[in-house]
Amino acid sequence: MPIIELPLGWILFWDAIAWSFFHLTLSFYTVRIPTGWFMRHEKLFKTFKFERQGDLWQQMFRVKQWKQLIPDGTMFIRNGYNKKALHGSDMYALQEFIVESRRAELTHWISIAPAALFFLWNPLWAGWLNVAYAILFNVPIIIAQRYNRPRLLRLVTKKQNKPLAESSTR
């Protein structure tokens, strides 16, 4: 039983306002986490063996078919990093994309947590609908990051191990 009882129209209104607030606020703050934090805490975002370098996500969810349909957060957070495409193929651009994929993953993991608050003013069934919404909205984005990042890390490793071209003698 909710702490605050509201008519259905008001519940829908406050749910929309609350989700907008949580999404924008969490995005606003995670964009401000320094890049160095994501580099120092890379182990939080490591690829687990069972993920098979991201292949699990493609096999289970066919990520390649739908990942381009995910709207980019820069539509709402102007100083965010657009992850629709690589911003270059040099080491800096690849490392920056990897860091930003970690930032996106963190943002979407913590964006699930506020769902518990919706039980305060929603009836039980609507509270669970909000939990489902939080999972359905955020987990695909987390999966896309966990699919892309190992591929980018392999590319970085390949570039690091590539011998420098010998300079021609003139």
Side-chain angles (χ1 to χ4, degrees), residues 48-125:
F48 295 102
K49 196 172 203 166
F50 74 88
E51 292 178 279
R52 299 187 323 269
Q53 295 297 306
D55 291 340
L56 170 76
W57 306 117
Q58 173 59 23
Q59 184 180 1
M60 288 180 65
F61 300 107
R62 307 258 185 250
V63 178
K64 285 185 205 176
Q65 279 79 19
W66 53 261
K67 69 178 184 154
Q68 72 280 358
L69 300 174
I70 296 172
D72 194 82
T74 55
M75 292 169 33
F76 306 105
I77 306 292
R78 291 187 197 269
N79 57 343
Y81 179 91
N82 188 322
K83 289 170 291 308
K84 282 288 186 189
L86 283 173
H87 295 217
S89 59
D90 60 288
M91 287 296 279
Y92 176 80
L94 294 172
Q95 290 288 3
E96 185 179 30
F97 200 102
I98 289 166
V99 164
E100 293 305 323
S101 77
R102 292 174 185 153
R103 185 184 312 277
E105 183 178 343
L106 176 65
T107 301
H108 288 281
W109 275 118
I110 62 178
S111 292
I112 295 171
L117 298 173
F118 286 76
F119 289 98
L120 294 175
W121 66 87
N122 281 275
L124 192 59
W125 64 269

